[in-house]
Amino acid sequence: MSETASKRRPQYRNLTVPQLLVYLNRMPLAAKTSILHRASGALLFLCLPLVLVPLFGRSVESAETFAGLASWASHPLFKLVLLALIWSYLHHFCAGIRYLMLDMHVGNDKHSAQKSAGAVLVISLALTVILGLKLFGVW
Amino acid sequence: MDQQGLGQKRLVVGAHYGTLDFIVQRVTAIIMAIYTIVLLVGFLFMGELNYENWRNLFTFTCLGLPVGQMLATVAFLSVAWHAWVGVRDIWMDYVRPAGLRLVFQVLTLLWLVGSIAFFAKILWSL
């Protein structure tokens, strides 16, 4: 056992929501990217049989169900769900690539790790905005 | 071995289940990333976005083999195994009582196996 482990360390439990928000706000970029990696993965997991597989099914089943998706997509609520899933996929993808790079000891120093974490957040959000604009028919 | 058993010469014991999960998580991630790129390239080169072309992304054959369906199956199994490792990590981090954790883990497995069956039925009836 090392010295630090035997010392009594402060514990922060039962955090209230405002405290939690302050904590989230003060997290370094890499920590934000990390928790969002987990959150986006959990969302994709939950939506897998509820949204993603049924959606895939409708898109490939027949020409009629394929065409029917266009009318679903006109529903704003459906668009928001889709947008959340698109962001989840993009963030999880980008953050995952970053982790694979870190595994190979690329950009492991503090400075580059923070920079790549910021890049993951920005790139996935930017791609989500581009696809979102497409989804809402802006282009 | 140094006193703390750390570093490259530390003694590694156990059945290496953790190592397996670590490797599976990464290998399945790479498979999914490659399949994403395959789909994206197929999507960009398929011409007009219509039902026939879209369906063909998942049903194309090569030398009589249902390659489109095989790739999609491998990718979906990767999704499920990857999700199992990740979601199990979440339960291990946040759910302390062993019984409750077991319940969540079993439900996760059922959720994923159900998803696989659902997806396989759709894909292989095309």
Side-chain angles (χ1 to χ4, degrees):
Chain A
M1 272 295 152
S2 63
E3 290 276 313
T4 43
S6 56
K7 249 190 257 166
R8 263 186 75 83
R9 311 189 67 176
Q11 292 195 348
Y12 301 98
R13 298 198 173 191
N14 297 325
L15 290 176
T16 61
V17 171
Q19 286 172 323
L20 202 62
L21 290 177
V22 170
Y23 175 67
L24 287 173
N25 196 35
R26 280 168 52 181
M27 286 199 301
L29 275 179
K32 284 177 181 147
T33 304
S34 173
I35 194 64
L36 288 174
H37 188 69
R38 174 163 281 191
S40 56
L43 186 70
L44 288 167
F45 163 76
L46 285 176
C47 289
L48 193 61
L50 298 181
V51 183
L52 295 168
V53 176
L55 211 58
F56 170 76
R58 307 286 295 180
S59 79
V60 292
E61 203 182 313
S62 69
E64 288 74 41
T65 55
F66 179 85
L69 284 180
S71 66
W72 282 24
S74 62
H75 224 277
L77 190 67
F78 181 75
K79 279 182 187 172
L80 280 180
V81 171
L82 217 52
L83 204 57
L85 288 171
I86 289 171
W87 171 80
S88 295
Y89 188 84
L90 290 169
H91 182 86
H92 208 83
F93 185 93
C94 295
I97 300 287
R98 175 173 175 271
Y99 284 136
L100 289 174
M101 301 296 281
L102 292 176
D103 280 350
M104 291 185 293
H105 299 260
V106 177
N108 260 343
D109 63 286
K110 196 169 158 186
H111 183 67
S112 351
Q114 295 296 339
K115 257 175 50 178
S116 61
V120 164
L121 285 171
V122 170
I123 292 171
S124 52
L125 272 176
L127 288 173
T128 307
V129 169
I130 292 171
L131 289 172
L133 291 177
K134 176 77 180 165
L135 193 62
F136 283 90
V138 177
W139 56 281
Chain B
M1 204 173 79
D2 69 280
Q3 244 185 329
Q4 295 177 336
L6 299 171
Q8 291 186 321
K9 288 181 181 161
R10 80 197 156 114
L11 187 62
V12 179
V13 294
H16 298 265
Y17 295 134
T19 314
L20 176 71
D21 282 343
F22 179 93
I23 291 169
V24 163
Q25 193 172 41
R26 277 140 188 90
V27 171
T28 53
I30 292 166
I31 293 171
M32 289 184 286
I34 292 172
Y35 188 65
T36 300
I37 293 163
V38 169
L39 274 188
L40 193 64
V41 169
F43 185 80
L44 292 175
F45 286 93
M46 74 183 177
E48 192 200 340
L49 173 58
N50 57 30
Y51 173 67
E52 290 302 322
N53 285 340
W54 173 257
R55 186 191 139 112
N56 194 244
L57 284 178
F58 308 99
T59 54
F60 71 91
T61 56
C62 190
L63 302 171
L65 288 170
V67 176
Q69 283 163 311
M70 286 158 70
L71 291 180
T73 303
V74 170
F76 198 86
L77 291 176
S78 294
V79 169
W81 202 350
H82 187 89
W84 163 243
V85 175
V87 174
R88 183 168 157 267
D89 278 346
I90 295 180
W91 301 141
M92 289 195 295
D93 278 353
Y94 304 135
V95 184
R96 306 300 291 276
L100 191 62
R101 186 187 286 177
L102 181 67
V103 169
F104 278 124
Q105 289 180 350
V106 170
L107 290 176
T108 303
L109 278 176
L110 294 176
W111 191 261
L112 288 171
V113 172
S115 299
I116 292 171
F118 190 6
F119 180 78
K121 179 182 179 289
I122 293 168
L123 184 73
W124 288 92
S125 58
L126 289 178

